[in-house]
Amino acid sequence: MSEDRYIYDLADGRADMKALLGGKGANVAEMNRIGIPVPDLFTVSTAACVETMNRGGEWPEGLVDDVDAALARLEERTGKKLGASSNPLLVSVRSGAVFSMPGMMDTILNLGISDESVLAVARESGNERFAWDCYRRFIQMYGEVVEGVPQHAYEDALTELKNARGAAQDTDLTADDLKELVATFKEISAEYLGGEWTNDPREQLRRAINAVFKSWLNPRAEVYRRANNIPATLGTAVNVQEMVFGNRGDRSATGVCFTRNPSTGEKALYGEFLVNAQGEDVVAGIRTPRPLPEMAEVLPEAYEQLIATMQRLEQHYKDMQDIEFTVEEGKLFLLQTRNGKRTAAAALKVASDLVDEGVIDERTALTRIEPKQLDQLLHPAIDPSHGRKPVAKGLPASPGAGVGELVFDADTAAERGGRGEPVVLVRYETTPDDIHGVIVAQGVLTAHGGMTSHAAVVARGMGKPCVAGASGIKIDAVGKTLTIGDNVYHEGDVITIDGSTGDVYGEELALVPPQINEDFQRVVTWADDVRRLGVRANADNFEDASKARELGAEGIGLCRTEHMFMAQDRLPAVRRMILAETPEARAEALEEILPMQQQDFEGIFTAMKGLPVTVRLLDPPLHEFLPNLVEQSLLVQRLELTGGDADELAAARQTLAQVKRLHELNPMLGTRGCRLAMLYPEIPEMQTRAIIRAALAVKEREGETVGVEIMIPLVALQQELKVQREIVERTVAEEVGDSGLEVKIGTMIELPRAALTADQIAEYADFFSFGTNDLTQTGVGISRDDAENGFLAQYVVDHVLEQNPFESIDQEGVGQLVEMGVAKGRSAKEGLKCGVCGEHGGDPASIEFFNRVGLDYVSCSPFRVPIARFAAAKAVIEQG
């Protein structure tokens, strides 16, 4: 069948034509094909919508004639004529995206009813009230959707009439009442449109189709697409379908049902219906629907037919179905079926049960689960029945929900949280210094920062909910107040944050616990049997490492050592090391730090014994461990002006001098990583000793230890890695002795030059680990935090970029550096182990790319490990 057509009749379609017909059109055609009763239709394809968008809203040549011809064929098949004064055809005009976007786009019902045809509808149906009910509904929907009349204008008039008649429900209004309402609605429409209302049903049809095209670009559809990674370039189909009427009286009804419970996955009847209503009444909440089982009492024959059809459709599509139906004077019609949206818990149960029932196999079951959705299972969530409105919104930086009293600094959070009090840490943005407060907080809320900001990365690593970059909030850290709109919250007030949605609530909401269960454990083992990629975790302490192993991590792909340096009990020694003016003084300070580092590593290695652990040597610039330049300058000034203690002033001046000496205009590209180690080789030497001693201590105590992998950061030049490898190898040889401990030495590929010269660097590397956070910054040339709080969000809105490159890897740009680095590295060293340890290691779309370019493993935050396991399996299935 040619794909350059713009119109497809009902008989032309099949389920596998969703790209052209959208999900709704393709599935209605499929139901017709297998003999399920559906109203006749024709579908204007997604290609017509895309071409219209490309032409700035102008329809492609020939589409008007194609629509007229399709309408003529529909009229011939139904024996009715649009808008006729005898036997009139009424149609619905509905959107139909390729991927289900429930409620995001627009619908018009009863098109074709007019002053002439309403009389025919009344006469031929023998139900005057029904006819005028259809007319008033059409005027309102058409006016709102097509002509832009405000919804409240019609709703206010309807409410006024109901109040005047003492009518509790719309159904209590009589035919005469509805005639009056139609006249009122016409007056409202004429007032807003300046008398430009058209009564030509063919013109109305063209405008309605165009309105549905436009609704593809409405704000709510844009937000939904971004949230679900649906490309804006797909467009929507438009279905022009013969109306069937659930509002023809007590033998008519409309409803929505699922073949299984979409919240739990239980194989049980789930749905609602309304007698004497149209579909929008159910989904819009205009009237309170009735539970589906009650339909057996009022429409028993249609109910039995519906139950049988539900079972048939689930068997046909081999998945849980979401069905819209109408009963017209006792006869059942299906308007739509689609694979039902479901919670993560339901997705796992449905997949598991369908395998047990012999409907699908295990590999197919894995394709039914969205890896990202598993976040719901791994973190507490807000009870969905809360019914409250958020007071602010930020970025959903780390999933889960947190409830606690507001605190505005990390010390207070650490003190109160350490006593077991629930607190939410609120900061303009977090820094590594805040880590002690973050650890014990129920969640983190920041006014600044993006999805990969410090707060987000740390919170995800700890499984803490985080809402970042909530730009609508104002924080007074001194006065300890949080202002949101007209509301002022003080320290101690309780708030709730939802890191899965970015919502902030100014009150305590009930939470529901994580939902890891047998279905989860069972299905994730199927993923492990299929996937090729290994899955490791990013973890810096015993707790994170233990949680990662519990969630299925096969080792640690990134253990950052700088977080250990920031701990309060060792920061003084770290600062003495930095401020040391001689190698001897520096060595003395490092000797004090060494046992602390060893203790940290022993905890991590104990949690991961038997598995590989990649430890990255110190990466950030030294000034991060010193006071802020401005704050230290002010301290010196205050001591000078107030005649402060001489020794304290001297120490403050010395610290200020070192801070100034170490201060850099662009520290991200300055003296950090291996560059710092080149200047101070005693630092990697100390860290290597701590790593080896810890590994040997764990082996002696536990009987086994980890596979030690030492990683040199920020290498750009072959000579850098050569020199650093010699330092590490020499220290390892001194410490290992005859223990037989094997140590691998590799590097992070996080600079474009390293990827471009990977064949040279591989000469001195046992493994590569791609640091895609920094590789994105240096490859694309943008500062992560600045961009996420600046132009980057607007770039995504404007489709300059389809996705934030720090959330999902830029496959065409940065991805090519990864692919090139793998190929060049392995050309010089066959079988070179290659992994990724940036936040992209937990993103399903990025994992699909990493699988395709041949990486050996991904590493991600502990709570993303199950997501990565599923995503790696799906990548294998989808790539064949």
Short mmCIF file of all heavy atoms in Angstrom, two decimals, residues 34 147 397 547 582 636 643 731 789:
data_model
loop_
_atom_site.label_atom_id
_atom_site.label_comp_id
_atom_site.label_asym_id
_atom_site.label_seq_id
_atom_site.Cartn_x
_atom_site.Cartn_y
_atom_site.Cartn_z
N ILE A 34 -10.98 -8.03 12.43
CA ILE A 34 -11.22 -9.30 13.11
C ILE A 34 -12.68 -9.46 13.53
O ILE A 34 -13.01 -10.36 14.30
CB ILE A 34 -10.29 -9.46 14.33
CG1 ILE A 34 -10.55 -8.40 15.39
CG2 ILE A 34 -8.83 -9.43 13.88
CD1 ILE A 34 -9.74 -8.59 16.67
N GLU A 147 -12.77 27.14 17.56
CA GLU A 147 -12.86 28.60 17.47
C GLU A 147 -12.25 29.32 18.67
O GLU A 147 -12.17 30.55 18.67
CB GLU A 147 -14.33 29.02 17.30
CG GLU A 147 -15.02 28.38 16.11
CD GLU A 147 -14.46 28.81 14.76
OE1 GLU A 147 -13.55 29.67 14.75
OE2 GLU A 147 -14.92 28.30 13.72
N ALA A 397 14.62 15.70 39.71
CA ALA A 397 16.04 15.37 39.63
C ALA A 397 16.39 14.01 40.21
O ALA A 397 17.35 13.38 39.78
CB ALA A 397 16.86 16.46 40.33
N LYS A 547 23.73 -1.26 49.03
CA LYS A 547 22.45 -1.11 48.33
C LYS A 547 22.60 -1.49 46.86
O LYS A 547 21.72 -2.15 46.28
CB LYS A 547 21.95 0.33 48.48
CG LYS A 547 20.67 0.64 47.70
CD LYS A 547 19.51 -0.29 48.07
CE LYS A 547 19.02 -0.07 49.47
NZ LYS A 547 17.80 -0.89 49.76
N THR A 582 56.10 22.63 51.96
CA THR A 582 57.22 21.74 51.62
C THR A 582 56.68 20.34 51.35
O THR A 582 55.62 19.96 51.88
CB THR A 582 58.23 21.66 52.78
OG1 THR A 582 57.60 21.03 53.91
CG2 THR A 582 58.72 23.06 53.17
N VAL A 636 39.23 37.74 56.81
CA VAL A 636 40.47 38.47 57.08
C VAL A 636 40.16 39.95 57.36
O VAL A 636 40.70 40.55 58.30
CB VAL A 636 41.44 38.33 55.89
CG1 VAL A 636 42.62 39.29 56.03
CG2 VAL A 636 41.94 36.89 55.77
N GLY A 643 40.41 43.99 65.30
CA GLY A 643 41.55 43.68 66.17
C GLY A 643 41.52 42.26 66.67
O GLY A 643 41.73 42.00 67.86
N THR A 731 54.05 1.98 43.45
CA THR A 731 53.45 1.91 44.79
C THR A 731 52.77 0.56 45.00
O THR A 731 52.88 -0.03 46.10
CB THR A 731 52.43 3.04 44.96
OG1 THR A 731 53.05 4.29 44.63
CG2 THR A 731 51.92 3.11 46.39
N ASN A 789 20.50 25.88 33.77
CA ASN A 789 19.75 26.98 34.36
C ASN A 789 19.64 28.16 33.40
O ASN A 789 19.16 29.22 33.79
CB ASN A 789 20.42 27.43 35.66
CG ASN A 789 20.24 26.42 36.77
OD1 ASN A 789 19.17 26.33 37.36
ND2 ASN A 789 21.26 25.63 37.03
#
